DNA sequence: TAGGCCATCTGGTCCT
DNA sequence: AGGACCAGATGGCCTA
């Protein structure tokens, strides 16, 4: 009942070798680049320490010399490294925002956390892949998929549901709560052309679950 | 108030 | 040598 992905999506670990801008589609790549050029000053990721020094971490304990106290070449190198690291994290957050933006629309005020975004994206990609595979099996690939494949959003409509039918009890008045606390997200994918469409509804989770927990109709 | 999430600082490691 | 990446630690903010 629970189809397993043919690929191995479990390894979400990114590495400097695997994740590069060139690995993104042009549109997303541009988005990421723009975010980088903008120093990651998105509304959600305003650098908190651009003007004030916060955090400091264990280093402030283990290494009494703070940012302000460090002097000389060592201090300058450290400050440059901090700036680079800050920008790197801003770029990473911008990329995550770009990823959120291409995922199926969420209810208002239901912004996914970082880990939820990654997990949900993985499952969403898997669901799209399965949909294509099933459409191909039914011989419906030629007509509508070929022309729209570059734009999944135009091929599929996605409807959010607070919970799967089997777990309808999870629904609460608080959408955000129902999505994140319960750790359940479901997405119904339908092809646009109902006549030739393969009706597929996926329900999957954004929590720490294996794709084996994903099921479809 | 506890717990989750996040931004930041920092030193270590690897790569160019 | 310098930059990129990573993980650990810490404090701030928010919510239940």
């Amino acid at each position: 009942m629970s189809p397993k992905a043919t690929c191995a999506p479990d390894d979400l670990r990114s590495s400097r070798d695997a994740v590069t801008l060139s690995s993104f589609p042009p549109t997303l790549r541009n988005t990421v680049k723009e975010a980088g050029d903008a120093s990651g000053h998105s509304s959600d990721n305003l650098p908190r320490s651009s003007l004030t020094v916060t955090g400091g971490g264990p280093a402030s304990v283990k290494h009494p010399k703070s940012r302000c106290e460090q002097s000389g070449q060592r201090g300058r190198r450290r400050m440059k490294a901090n700036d680079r690291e800050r920008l790197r994290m801003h770029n990473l957050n911008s990329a995550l925002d770009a990823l959120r933006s291409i995922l199926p629309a969420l209810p208002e005020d239901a912004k996914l956390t970082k880990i939820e975004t990654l997990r949900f994206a993985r499952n969403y990609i898997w669901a799209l892949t399965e949909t294509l595979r099933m459409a191909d099996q039914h011989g419906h690939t030629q007509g509508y998929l070929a022309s729209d494949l570059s734009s999944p959003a135009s091929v599929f409509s996605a409807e959010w549901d607070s919970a799967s039918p089997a777990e309808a009890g999870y629904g609460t008045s608080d959408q955000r709560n129902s999505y994140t606390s319960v750790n359940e997200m479901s997405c119904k994918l339908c092809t646009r052309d109902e006549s030739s469409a393969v009706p597929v509804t996926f329900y999957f989770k954004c929590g720490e679950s294996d794709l084996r927990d994903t099921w479809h109709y």
Side-chain angles (χ1 to χ4, degrees), chain A residues 25-39:
Chain A
T27 52
L28 184 55
R29 191 162 58 229
N30 292 339
T31 304
V32 173
K33 188 177 186 303
E34 287 175 10
D37 293 341
S39 300

Side-chain angles (χ1 to χ4, degrees), chain A residues 131-132 135-136 140-150 155-156 191:
Chain A
T131 302
L132 289 174
D136 191 41
H140 293 298
T141 314
Q142 297 300 321
Y144 60 91
L145 287 183
S147 59
D148 292 341
L149 192 57
S150 61
V155 178
F156 304 104
T191 52

Side-chain angles (χ1 to χ4, degrees), chain A residues 79-128:
Chain A
M79 288 176 66
K80 280 185 65 178
N82 288 348
D83 290 341
R84 286 195 304 271
E85 177 67 7
R86 209 178 305 121
L87 178 61
R88 192 180 71 86
M89 296 308 296
H90 291 168
N91 288 338
L92 179 61
N93 289 333
S94 296
L96 274 170
D97 283 338
L99 179 59
R100 287 189 186 98
S101 71
I102 63 173
L103 290 175
L106 288 167
E108 287 297 321
D109 302 327
K111 181 183 178 182
L112 293 174
T113 65
K114 292 180 177 180
I115 187 65
E116 286 170 344
T117 300
L118 292 176
R119 286 170 176 159
F120 182 71
R122 179 192 68 166
N123 290 357
Y124 183 54
I125 290 170
W126 177 87
L128 293 176

Side-chain angles (χ1 to χ4, degrees), chain A residues 58-209:
Chain A
S60 61
V61 178
K62 295 177 183 176
H63 312 280
K65 278 190 177 299
S66 69
R67 174 179 183 164
C68 298
E69 291 171 314
Q70 287 184 347
S71 60
Q73 188 178 5
R74 173 183 164 84
R76 284 192 294 273
R77 276 207 303 265
R78 188 62 259 174
M79 288 176 66
K80 280 185 65 178
N82 288 348
D83 290 341
R84 286 195 304 271
E85 177 67 7
R86 209 178 305 121
L87 178 61
R88 192 180 71 86
M89 296 308 296
H90 291 168
N91 288 338
L92 179 61
N93 289 333
S94 296
L96 274 170
D97 283 338
L99 179 59
R100 287 189 186 98
S101 71
I102 63 173
L103 290 175
L106 288 167
E108 287 297 321
D109 302 327
K111 181 183 178 182
L112 293 174
T113 65
K114 292 180 177 180
I115 187 65
E116 286 170 344
T117 300
L118 292 176
R119 286 170 176 159
F120 182 71
R122 179 192 68 166
N123 290 357
Y124 183 54
I125 290 170
W126 177 87
L128 293 176
T129 302
E130 281 296 295
T131 302
L132 289 174
R133 186 185 62 77
M134 294 173 68
D136 191 41
Q137 277 185 350
H138 287 75
H140 293 298
T141 314
Q142 297 300 321
Y144 60 91
L145 287 183
S147 59
D148 292 341
L149 192 57
S150 61
S151 179
S154 66
V155 178
F156 304 104
S157 65
E159 295 181 8
W160 287 98
D161 204 350
S162 60
S164 70
E167 301 177 75
Y170 279 147
T172 69
S173 57
D174 184 349
Q175 284 282 56
R176 163 80 184 179
N177 185 60
S178 69
Y179 280 108
T180 59
S181 296
V182 179
N183 239 355
E184 291 279 348
M185 301 199 73
S186 58
C187 181
K188 182 165 68 177
L189 300 173
C190 300
T191 52
R192 190 171 50 186
D193 184 355
E194 294 294 338
S195 62
S196 61
V198 178
V200 181
T201 301
F202 286 97
Y203 293 97
F204 45 80
K205 303 178 180 182
C206 67
E208 192 174 8
S209 61

Side-chain angles (χ1 to χ4, degrees), chain A residues 46-57 60 67 82 86:
Chain A
L46 291 173
R48 284 195 291 185
S49 73
S50 294
L51 301 176
T52 60
V53 178
T54 60
S60 61
R67 174 179 183 164
N82 288 348
R86 209 178 305 121

